[in-house]
Amino acid sequence: MRVFFRVDASLAIGTGHVMRCLTLAQALVAEGAKCEFICREHSGHMIEAIRSRGFSVRALSIGTRRINEKEAEPKTAHSAWLDSSWQEDAEQTRREIEYTAIDWLVVDHYALDRRWEEAVTPGGCRLLVIDDLADREHACDLLLDQNLGRLPMDYAPLVQPTCRCLIGPKYALLRPEFAQMREASLARRAAPRVQHLLVTLGGVDKDNSTLAVLAALQQCALPEDCTINVVMGVNAPWLNEVKDHAAKMPWATEVAVNVTNMAQRMCEADLAIGAAGSTSWERCCLGLPSVTVVLAENQRPVGRALQAVGASILIGLTEDIKHRLPDAYRAISGPEKLKGISDAAAATTDGNGVERLCFEMMGDGNERRDG
């Protein structure tokens, strides 16, 4: 089976879309598939990171021509993420795949919709759309929205009746190590306390939320023996400032970049402060209690849904961190509260979503399973 992924990363988009597509691609390769990526060379792209994992990437250049406003209408809410018109992107993508037999085209991009999908998807090729927004039409065979609180009916007017929709954190695209470490992580939370704190606010963190968190933590009554582990991406524009601040923290504070052992770090953490994005499901799988921050408007529903089921405490936007984090820490740091949040988080996903999606893609489409 041959699969192409159309996905981007940038300082505006972040890294999460590419990371979850890499997770799916690696799982498909393990099943014998061949996977390639098509990515635009935005500032903050992850093309070399994808290649370092053994995948071929066909790069789309930036600024080939000025976007014609009339041509680009009607726009999607995230059209600016494309840095071209959808027609130009479709033309460039078609050129990359037109002489290749493809079984699946996977699209994970908020700027693309039914128009692009109908223009690009070759005959005989099936289309998987990975989405979080339910705000535009799609011409796909399979659609995945891994977010808590999303319902199949949200996509009913946006896809064809023949489209199979996989909805909810049951299908969250997590790397295998999260499911593998789930049992051990849940076991160590039987008698919770805050000794190891994890701060992870996206691979880019363009608004410098991490520095705001570190500053606010200095107003919290953390234990003297507490350790703080900060995880950031190499393209994070405020990385050096965060490192400088970390060196002055009253608790031992490590700043790690481009880590490959996130599951281990989450397993060892007692409390996380993280973005309400795709890493929410990693924390939930491991039962890691968390305080969540909304880094983009599309994360707000996830943050609210997690709080509604007791799986996290939502403190709001970056500008809210200074005032709300100390109160959130006081509310969450007791053993009973930590255990309650851990149990609620663990109930949202078991970490086997990528296995379920691979079954849908590798099978003939006639057999279904719910496990």
Side-chain angles (χ1 to χ4, degrees):
M1 189 171 79
R2 192 159 194 178
V3 184
F4 270 80
F5 289 79
R6 176 68 187 93
V7 62
D8 285 336
S10 74
L11 297 181
I13 296 170
T15 62
H17 298 270
V18 166
M19 294 305 297
R20 66 186 179 188
C21 284
L22 278 170
T23 295
L24 175 57
Q26 288 166 333
L28 289 170
V29 166
E31 296 291 334
K34 181 176 181 180
C35 298
E36 296 185 57
F37 284 73
I38 301 173
C39 304
R40 193 170 292 281
E41 296 174 320
H42 298 289
S43 179
H45 67 76
M46 293 183 64
I47 291 174
E48 293 309 317
I50 298 170
R51 287 173 175 158
S52 72
R53 288 164 170 80
F55 295 103
S56 171
V57 182
R58 305 189 184 195
L60 306 183
S61 60
I62 287 291
T64 56
R65 64 179 172 85
R66 190 178 182 85
I67 299 173
N68 183 308
E69 292 295 327
K70 183 177 179 180
E71 177 187 62
E73 293 292 347
K75 295 181 179 179
T76 68
H78 293 79
S79 292
W81 281 11
L82 205 55
D83 203 30
S84 74
S85 68
W86 71 263
Q87 290 96 331
E88 182 181 11
D89 193 281
E91 179 184 337
Q92 291 177 308
T93 303
R94 275 199 311 268
R95 286 202 298 265
E96 296 297 337
I97 66 176
E98 62 183 341
Y99 299 115
T100 306
I102 304 173
D103 297 286
W104 281 95
L105 175 61
V106 179
V107 180
D108 188 346
H109 208 304
Y110 293 166
L112 303 177
D113 62 9
R114 175 184 53 80
R115 298 166 298 172
W116 185 98
E117 294 157 9
E118 290 178 341
V120 173
T121 309
C125 173
R126 287 174 288 179
L127 176 66
L128 163 65
V129 167
I130 302 175
D131 192 24
D132 304 286
L133 305 180
D135 69 344
R136 61 206 188 282
E137 293 184 344
H138 296 290
C140 54
D141 302 280
L142 189 60
L143 183 141
L144 183 146
D145 186 324
Q146 64 187 15
N147 292 300
L148 185 66
R150 182 68 70 204
L151 300 172
M153 67 181 67
D154 295 334
Y155 284 99
L158 303 177
V159 299
Q160 294 298 310
T162 54
C163 176
R164 164 84 163 152
C165 291
L166 310 180
I167 305 296
K170 171 181 178 179
Y171 298 102
L173 300 180
L174 307 186
R175 297 187 300 279
E177 56 262 34
F178 288 94
Q180 293 164 4
M181 300 194 71
R182 176 176 165 85
E183 184 177 355
S185 183
L186 297 183
R188 68 175 298 274
R189 305 189 191 285
R193 63 181 291 252
V194 178
Q195 185 176 8
H196 304 295
L197 199 153
L198 175 67
V199 179
T200 170
L201 291 156
V204 174
D205 187 18
K206 62 183 178 63
D207 296 325
N208 206 10
S209 299
T210 304
L211 189 60
V213 165
L214 293 182
L217 284 175
Q218 292 180 258
Q219 308 305 315
C220 299
L222 300 181
E224 290 185 4
D225 62 349
C226 183
T227 61
I228 301 172
N229 179 216
V230 178
V231 175
M232 301 184 75
V234 69
N235 291 322
W238 303 100
L239 178 59
N240 289 334
E241 285 82 352
V242 170
K243 287 182 175 180
D244 289 343
H245 193 97
K248 303 170 186 175
M249 291 287 285
W251 306 278
T253 303
E254 172 200 16
V255 179
V257 179
N258 281 12
V259 304
T260 58
N261 64 338
M262 182 61 87
Q264 182 68 40
R265 289 171 184 263
M266 287 186 176
C267 181
E268 294 172 352
D270 301 309
L271 175 65
I273 301 170
S278 56
T279 55
S280 297
W281 316 123
E282 297 174 354
R283 299 192 297 268
C284 284
C285 175
L286 298 177
L288 175 58
S290 65
V291 174
T292 53
V293 180
V294 172
L295 299 184
E297 187 59 33
N298 59 71
Q299 293 183 357
R300 193 182 296 274
V302 173
R304 288 174 173 167
L306 286 167
Q307 180 163 264
V309 299
S312 180
I313 290 182
L314 177 64
I315 61 173
L317 305 171
T318 298
E319 53 264 34
D320 300 318
I321 293 172
K322 177 180 179 180
H323 305 289
R324 295 186 180 177
L325 180 56
D327 288 340
Y329 176 74
R330 282 191 292 271
I332 202 175
S333 57
E336 290 186 7
K337 187 65 173 179
L338 284 171
K339 186 66 168 64
I341 292 178
S342 175
D343 290 346
T348 65
T349 183
D350 61 7
N352 291 314
V354 71
E355 178 185 348
R356 295 183 177 102
L357 179 55
C358 283
F359 179 85
E360 294 286 342
M361 297 179 70
M362 301 294 291
D364 60 11
N366 295 320
E367 296 182 54
R368 307 294 185 198
R369 71 173 177 184
D370 297 322

